[in-house]
Amino acid sequence: MRLEAVATGDSADRGVGSARESADRKAGPAEELYGPDGTADGTADGTADGGVDPPDLKGLLEQELQELAIELGEPAYRGRQLYSWIHERGVDEFSAMTDLPARFRSQLTSGFRVSKLRQTERRESAEGTAVKFLFELPGIGHVEAVLISDGDRRTACLSSQVGCPLDCQFCATGKMGFRRNLTAAQIVDQFLELGRYASERQERVTNVVMMGMGEPLLNYDNLVQALRIMRVEKGPYIGGRRITVSTAGYVPGIRRLADDDLNVGLAISLNATTDELRSQLMPINRKYPIAELLAAAADYFRRRGRRVTYEYVLMAGVTDSDEDARRLADLTRDGVCKINLIPYNELTPAPGSGSPEEYFRRPSDERVDKFREIVALRSPHTVTLRLSRGRDIDAACGQLYRELRR
Ligand code: SAH
């Protein structure tokens, strides 16, 4: 952590610019791709009114909290205590951190905060295999996270952005447009909330997939900071081997992730086998076509030693032909990867909207089986089919949000 003060706003007089800097990472390369109009309203992470929030300690690593304690004239172990309160005990009020000296607590209260997402709704699927959490960022919008149970596995599916700039035609989040990058603290906080729910049931979150709302690689700095926190196997956290980042195919982000030392898993939402169709369904393909995407994925495996997963959403009459199945197997033949087929989760269309999502349908079970069979016979790789979990609670990208909006 760098120790120079950052002379912006009121941070300079607190003399803890480094913590502020770490805690306030925000606008990312979405700007570079989509221009300033495609991005957030330019305010700091938490306020809709343009005010600047104090640095958020929930977005700092244990090491950074120790450095902060030293900067504030305390011994390093005060930082460890802070870490334990925030991440292990889930306490967000400095006043409740009773083993910290009063002077330190008041320093923290006047210069810092520990943010907490406001949970506005929680829905459990009828079969009990998925629980969906909806969080509100006042004045900005909602994000959701889903806890999925599968045998001993408890997978937290987390969001990285409020909305998304990528405009994939079949995706509910895409329909919202882009509102805001989540801060590292807000990504971590989704994990903590799901973890709390699990621990009330004597369970733990065992895996993380960044497959909720948003394109994680377009919020790179905040994503990576959140991953650095969650990949330390400590307290509620789970280690990098059980974390997967899913991308629609932002190639510069994949390259950057390969340069970083995080060693998290990578999933690529391929979803089509020709550039023509993929560019229609996922406009990002116009900038980073399939060949470039596959090359970046192969490079990720070479550099990080983690097998890439190709996600392929099956949409009736659009991506589910025999020919698609053969092309999918052929495209992904080289290299070391897995293929995960996802039957489309139909969106509840806004009544009378005539909007394109009404046209996307889930194929029949027979078609899904046939597709899987063709790919599995032709491909040297493992082919899995994502079982539908929480279909009744709309546990896919942005769907609960849509439902509430109507
Ligand atoms: N932007 C990232 C992560 C969010 S989307 C990405 O594109 O990977 C997570 C996954 O859900 C992607 O594979 C996407 O193709 C898929 N998806 C989106 N809407 C869906 C729907 N209605 N039914 C099934 N899968 C969907």
Side-chain angles (χ1 to χ4, degrees):
M1 187 154 80
R2 277 162 295 149
L3 295 178
E4 76 273 18
V6 178
T8 55
D10 54 358
S11 66
D13 31 280
R14 292 199 186 103
V16 284
S18 52
R20 171 173 295 273
E21 202 179 285
S22 297
D24 281 359
R25 296 179 180 95
K26 43 179 192 288
E31 215 155 337
E32 160 205 318
L33 246 191
Y34 297 94
D37 291 343
T39 64
D41 55 15
T43 60
D45 54 29
T47 59
D49 60 2
V52 175
D53 288 321
D56 187 347
L57 300 191
K58 198 171 264 179
L60 297 186
L61 291 154
E62 184 173 7
Q63 172 73 24
E64 291 172 328
L65 289 169
Q66 289 180 36
E67 287 163 15
L68 173 71
I70 292 167
E71 284 175 57
L72 295 174
E74 293 288 331
Y77 73 85
R78 296 283 179 220
R80 284 201 296 278
Q81 287 174 305
L82 263 174
Y83 177 89
S84 170
W85 281 113
I86 296 168
H87 298 276
E88 293 167 357
R89 292 191 253 184
V91 169
D92 304 309
E93 294 291 332
F94 296 121
S95 58
M97 301 181 181
T98 46
D99 57 3
L100 301 180
R103 194 188 69 94
F104 186 40
R105 270 189 274 161
S106 78
Q107 263 179 310
L108 291 172
T109 308
S110 62
F112 301 90
R113 73 195 162 114
V114 181
S115 69
K116 190 171 170 55
L117 284 170
R118 174 142 41 116
Q119 191 182 312
T120 53
E121 193 164 333
R122 194 170 76 203
R123 284 193 199 178
E124 295 167 32
S125 67
E127 72 275 29
T129 50
V131 190
K132 181 152 171 159
F133 297 72
L134 191 72
F135 301 103
E136 186 187 4
L137 286 82
I140 298 161
H142 292 84
V143 286
E144 59 196 41
V146 188
L147 184 64
I148 303 156
S149 297
D150 185 6
D152 290 341
R153 229 180 236 239
R154 302 285 172 276
T155 302
C157 174
L158 308 182
S159 292
S160 54
Q161 298 182 315
V162 187
C164 182
L166 292 184
D167 200 29
C168 297
Q169 294 304 296
F170 49 84
C171 176
T173 305
K175 304 288 147 211
M176 290 170 62
F178 177 68
R179 304 264 181 88
R180 181 74 68 111
N181 278 331
L182 293 184
T183 62
Q186 288 165 337
I187 297 171
V188 163
D189 206 22
Q190 295 170 66
F191 180 101
L192 290 173
E193 284 294 320
L194 272 55
R196 193 165 307 156
Y197 175 93
S199 74
E200 283 163 11
R201 284 151 187 80
Q202 278 71 54
E203 292 173 349
R204 275 177 65 86
V205 174
T206 60
N207 296 74
V208 165
V209 290
M210 296 302 305
M211 280 191 195
M213 295 166 77
E215 169 51 44
L217 296 181
L218 287 177
N219 183 14
Y220 193 85
D221 291 345
N222 292 330
L223 170 78
V224 164
Q225 177 72 2
L227 297 178
R228 288 196 191 286
I229 292 171
M230 296 188 292
R231 75 167 184 154
V232 176
E233 236 174 292
K234 190 170 175 187
Y237 299 120
I238 59 173
R241 294 216 64 84
R242 294 189 286 159
I243 299 175
T244 300
V245 172
S246 180
T247 177
Y250 181 57
V251 167
I254 297 172
R255 301 250 177 229
R256 227 177 135 185
L257 198 63
D259 285 338
D260 260 312
D261 59 357
L262 285 159
N263 287 337
V264 293
L266 179 68
I268 291 185
S269 301
L270 192 57
N271 298 346
T273 58
T274 64
D275 278 321
E276 193 191 355
L277 178 63
R278 195 167 191 274
S279 291
Q280 276 174 32
L281 293 175
M282 305 176 74
I284 192 168
N285 193 70
R286 294 172 202 160
K287 194 144 182 180
Y288 306 105
I290 293 174
E292 262 183 60
L293 181 55
L294 296 175
D299 187 55
Y300 189 84
F301 173 75
R302 266 195 303 278
R303 307 272 304 281
R304 303 266 60 109
R306 297 271 326 236
R307 175 163 70 155
V308 171
T309 301
Y310 290 104
E311 310 272 353
Y312 189 90
V313 177
L314 291 164
M315 295 174 253
V318 182
T319 62
D320 67 342
S321 71
D322 291 358
E323 218 187 333
D324 283 317
R326 286 191 288 269
R327 271 197 300 255
L328 177 59
D330 293 346
L331 273 176
T332 54
R333 174 167 304 278
D334 297 336
V336 183
C337 66
K338 273 182 288 194
I339 299 170
N340 189 23
L341 304 176
I342 310 171
Y344 186 64
N345 223 325
E346 290 178 15
L347 309 186
T348 329
S353 65
S355 55
E357 66 262 34
E358 289 180 53
Y359 306 134
F360 295 108
R361 291 277 165 250
R362 170 191 291 255
S364 68
D365 291 349
E366 297 73 55
R367 181 85 290 258
V368 170
D369 283 343
K370 183 77 198 305
F371 192 96
R372 174 169 60 163
E373 207 178 289
I374 297 173
V375 183
L377 275 174
R378 201 175 167 99
S379 174
H381 309 300
T382 305
V383 182
T384 54
L385 178 65
R386 185 183 297 168
L387 292 173
S388 167
R389 303 212 178 274
R391 236 204 279 189
D392 59 326
I393 55 166
D394 283 344
C397 297
Q399 285 173 260
L400 181 59
Y401 166 79
R402 279 169 55 82
E403 208 176 294
L404 292 177
R405 194 186 47 176
R406 274 190 281 126

